[in-house]
Amino acid sequence: MRYATDHKQQTREKLLSSSGALAKRGGFAATGVAGLMKAIGLTGGAFYNHFPSKDDLFSEIVRRELANSPLARLVERGTDRARLKRLLDQYLSLAHLHNAEGGCPLPPLGVEIARAERPVREQAEHWLLELHQAWSETLDDPDLAWALLSQCVGALVVGRMLASEPVQAQVLDASRKLVEQVFDEVR
């Protein structure tokens, strides 16, 4: 049986999408090649037709997930403070907290990125520096940009660690209040 000319690319795309979701849901390191391929209905051996190694797949997942992150919308130059605040309010929501698979990759993948090979960390650093630069321009304060970024990502990490939604909501509410205070002072 012959496959369509774009079959390999379609399979690669399915593998990337599925693996990104699996990584953000349960951790990338914890899922073997066989499990990644089983999720798209193929055998483990077919994996190497698409990526030389599992590390190469992770690198591509990180690149793709960061580029599609909710925070990526805030890399645009010229974002005004009102828009940044609105997007941070959305970021610090229960809906986002409960959507690890479709949300920002930093909270669920941050530790794995930190443990990854240097090229993956460099890729993440490059993206974070772009985000930082955009926020620095919007806020007119590079230190505040790092602090807000860390606060928002950290709030999601802590919120996801908690078992009860009311306590998760308290963490997110406290973080939104802090962001609100910062924006009131920055005016």
Side-chain angles (χ1 to χ4, degrees):
M1 178 172 99
R2 294 190 60 101
Y3 290 110
T5 56
D6 62 346
H7 174 75
K8 185 172 182 177
Q9 185 59 33
Q10 288 175 354
T11 302
R12 180 182 169 91
E13 286 300 315
K14 281 178 21 184
L15 178 58
L16 280 166
S17 295
S18 174
S19 297
L22 286 170
K24 290 189 327 186
R25 182 180 344 124
F28 185 77
T31 307
V33 168
L36 295 171
M37 295 305 286
K38 183 178 179 185
I40 62 169
L42 296 173
T43 64
F47 173 85
Y48 298 99
N49 291 328
H50 304 283
F51 292 94
S53 70
K54 190 176 172 196
D55 288 342
D56 290 318
L57 171 61
F58 186 61
S59 179
E60 182 60 20
I61 287 170
V62 168
R63 185 201 62 73
R64 186 180 182 139
E65 291 292 334
L66 290 175
N68 295 320
S69 166
L71 293 178
R73 292 178 282 176
L74 299 174
V75 173
E76 301 166 11
R77 301 290 190 254
T79 295
D80 63 31
R81 290 181 179 162
R83 181 171 185 253
L84 176 58
K85 185 183 175 307
R86 276 193 315 275
L87 289 169
L88 292 179
D89 283 343
Q90 292 170 4
Y91 189 89
L92 294 168
S93 69
L94 281 171
H96 186 219
L97 183 131
H98 294 307
N99 184 17
E101 289 178 34
C104 179
L106 295 177
L109 296 180
V111 171
E112 291 191 78
I113 292 169
R115 292 181 184 142
E117 297 295 323
R118 186 174 182 89
V120 173
R121 294 192 328 272
E122 287 172 345
Q123 186 174 37
E125 179 179 315
H126 175 77
W127 183 83
L128 285 166
L129 287 172
E130 284 186 19
L131 180 65
H132 173 260
Q133 180 62 38
W135 288 23
S136 294
E137 290 173 12
T138 299
L139 298 167
D140 200 29
D141 186 337
D143 291 338
L144 183 57
W146 280 129
L148 275 179
L149 175 60
S150 300
Q151 174 64 37
C152 291
V153 172
L156 279 185
V157 170
V158 171
R160 288 178 181 161
M161 290 169 47
L162 301 170
S164 65
E165 192 169 281
V167 182
Q168 291 172 331
Q170 288 175 9
V171 168
L172 296 176
D173 289 344
S175 293
R176 278 194 309 278
K177 286 177 187 173
L178 181 63
V179 169
E180 180 88 29
Q181 288 173 345
V182 165
F183 276 87
D184 286 346
E185 292 172 11
V186 169
R187 287 187 184 148

